[in-house]
Amino acid sequence: MDIDLLRQCGKIKEFNREDIICREGDAGHSLFLLLQGHLSVSINSFVDEKQNVGYISEGSFFGEMSLLEKKPRTATVVVVSEKAIVFEISENRFPKLLEKAPDIAYGILMVLNKRLNNMLNRIWETDKKYVFQYRKNETYEIIQKLDLESFVQIAKKSPEYVWTLLKYLSTALDNLNGKYISDVEKENA
């Protein structure tokens, strides 16, 4: 990984226990890579109560959905370790990073793909037809077959296609999250 490129594309920030790194509903103009520490992720639940939905461990990234979708943050991320160090990449420098470091773009793509597949598996029992439509989408099928070497070749020839793939996964996740929340609200009504 090109350290000089990373320095050009972002900055390191330090946080202490209970510091909020990003808040649900706020505008999101960056994504983060957790270099050190542990974070909790919470959302306002269906009954307007804070609900912990997971944890972020070192080496993971977060905040990409807001950046890719140009929508407010969908969760609040709080430091649960004594200290956390994150690398923040701003939206205006993100395209340069994707173009110059396709291995990072591939990593983001694969994490988004894993999240999408986890959500599809979660919805499978309640709406097989909906899930089947996603899994038969041409872009979805292409992503499932991509390896790093093929992706790097594609990225070199067509950087805008990288955006297309990332945007597809981000939009699909956003839609599936909305569907999941709607389904849970119907169950609790």
Side-chain angles (χ1 to χ4, degrees):
M1 187 175 304
D2 186 343
I3 301 299
D4 289 331
L5 174 64
L6 285 176
R7 283 190 189 124
Q8 294 171 22
C9 293
K11 58 186 172 190
I12 291 179
K13 289 185 161 185
E14 291 190 24
F15 296 90
N16 296 311
R17 181 186 297 277
E18 297 185 12
D19 283 352
I20 296 172
I21 296 176
C22 58
R23 186 181 308 275
E24 182 177 3
D26 286 354
H29 301 288
S30 59
L31 72 84
F32 304 89
L33 172 63
L34 180 58
L35 301 175
Q36 179 184 328
H38 296 291
L39 312 174
S40 71
V41 182
S42 63
I43 60 170
N44 284 327
S45 72
F46 318 109
V47 290
D48 290 329
E49 293 177 7
K50 183 177 139 184
Q51 179 181 3
N52 188 344
V53 294
Y55 295 91
I56 299 171
S57 57
E58 292 177 9
S60 299
F61 67 88
F62 60 99
E64 77 290 339
M65 295 286 291
S66 186
L67 187 140
L68 291 167
E69 292 296 312
K70 306 279 190 237
K71 291 184 176 180
R73 301 277 184 204
T74 58
T76 298
V77 177
V78 177
V79 178
V80 293
S81 54
E82 284 301 314
K83 180 165 92 169
I85 300 173
V86 299
F87 183 72
E88 182 179 22
I89 303 165
S90 66
E91 68 183 334
N92 60 342
R93 295 187 176 170
F94 186 58
K96 178 181 181 177
L97 181 65
L98 294 181
E99 184 179 335
K100 302 288 184 186
D103 54 325
I104 292 175
Y106 180 77
I108 293 171
L109 186 77
M110 290 298 103
V111 168
L112 287 173
N113 187 52
K114 182 179 178 181
R115 290 178 189 168
L116 176 65
N117 281 313
N118 287 342
M119 184 57 76
L120 288 171
N121 291 338
R122 185 181 292 170
I123 293 173
W124 175 254
E125 287 306 314
T126 58
D127 197 341
K128 289 177 174 68
K129 183 178 177 184
Y130 193 83
V131 172
F132 185 75
Q133 288 173 343
Y134 265 98
R135 291 194 168 143
K136 283 301 178 189
N137 178 285
E138 181 181 353
T139 305
Y140 175 86
E141 289 179 343
I142 289 168
I143 293 168
Q144 303 317 300
K145 297 173 187 172
L146 271 180
D147 59 30
L148 177 58
E149 187 177 323
S150 301
F151 181 81
V152 169
Q153 294 303 316
I154 291 168
K156 287 179 181 177
K157 290 179 185 172
S158 179
E160 62 278 354
Y161 190 62
V162 171
W163 273 105
T164 299
L165 296 176
L166 287 169
K167 185 72 172 152
Y168 167 79
L169 287 174
S170 178
T171 300
L173 267 170
D174 191 46
N175 291 339
L176 286 170
N177 284 334
K179 177 176 177 26
Y180 179 73
I181 289 169
S182 175
D183 289 350
V184 170
E185 286 176 338
K186 287 176 189 173
E187 285 177 18
N188 293 332

